[in-house]
Amino acid sequence: MPKGQIEHANLSVTDPDRIARLFKELLSWEERWRGPSQKYGWSLHVGDPENGATYLALYTGDHVKGKYDKGQPLNHVGLLVDDLSAAEKVVAQHGLKPFGHDDYDPGERFYFFDWDGIEFEVVSYAGGASGEGQ
């Protein structure tokens, strides 16, 4: 049976540079590429410099309006961090509001919406309910 992992998610956003700055500070990611997309706009790729196969494609163009209802087009994107408290401070410094703080298996978490209404879950397995992980 094949084994795999998520390589990337492609998110439609109104300001790729703005959200890339958040991910650079929140996850210690780096910009890996930017350029025109195959249709209608352009993309900025930001990801883990140690694992080049893990990144987010931040896509924009005149047709991207932002402000989707929760669950349209996706429910949320999960981000794994080693220090939940520090991650929450970064989110708040970017003017975003963390909410939904929970601690249950497999770890502690909080959520936030970005400027385009995309929901992110930030989770840490270090010291959470299960105590497993990193």
Side-chain angles (χ1 to χ4, degrees):
M1 173 174 271
K3 183 177 177 183
Q5 66 184 29
I6 294 174
E7 183 217 12
H8 78 274
N10 189 318
L11 306 177
S12 293
V13 299
T14 54
D15 188 340
D17 286 306
R18 176 176 61 185
I19 196 162
R21 282 190 300 276
L22 170 67
F23 292 134
K24 288 174 184 178
E25 291 180 37
L26 180 63
L27 304 170
S28 296
W29 281 5
E30 297 176 359
E31 183 174 320
R32 20 176 303 148
W33 180 85
R34 71 168 61 217
S37 65
Q38 291 181 340
K39 294 184 178 181
Y40 312 118
W42 66 277
S43 290
L44 185 160
H45 294 183
V46 62
D48 183 349
E50 295 177 17
N51 177 2
T54 303
Y55 69 96
L56 292 175
L58 308 172
Y59 171 68
T60 196
D62 291 340
H63 59 291
V64 176
K65 305 295 184 219
K67 296 299 177 195
Y68 301 103
D69 290 333
K70 180 176 169 26
Q72 299 172 353
L74 70 125
N75 192 9
H76 68 260
V77 175
L79 307 171
L80 180 64
V81 299
D82 60 354
D83 186 334
L84 198 63
S85 178
E88 186 168 356
K89 288 177 185 171
V90 169
V91 169
Q93 288 169 351
H94 281 265
L96 302 169
K97 296 186 182 343
F99 68 92
H101 298 78
D102 285 307
D103 185 359
Y104 56 86
D105 282 336
E108 287 185 83
R109 68 205 67 240
F110 69 87
Y111 299 82
F112 70 92
F113 287 100
D114 80 347
W115 303 272
D116 294 306
I118 299 170
E119 184 177 27
F120 291 88
E121 175 185 7
V122 182
V123 64
S124 176
Y125 300 143
S130 70
E132 297 175 3
Q134 307 172 358

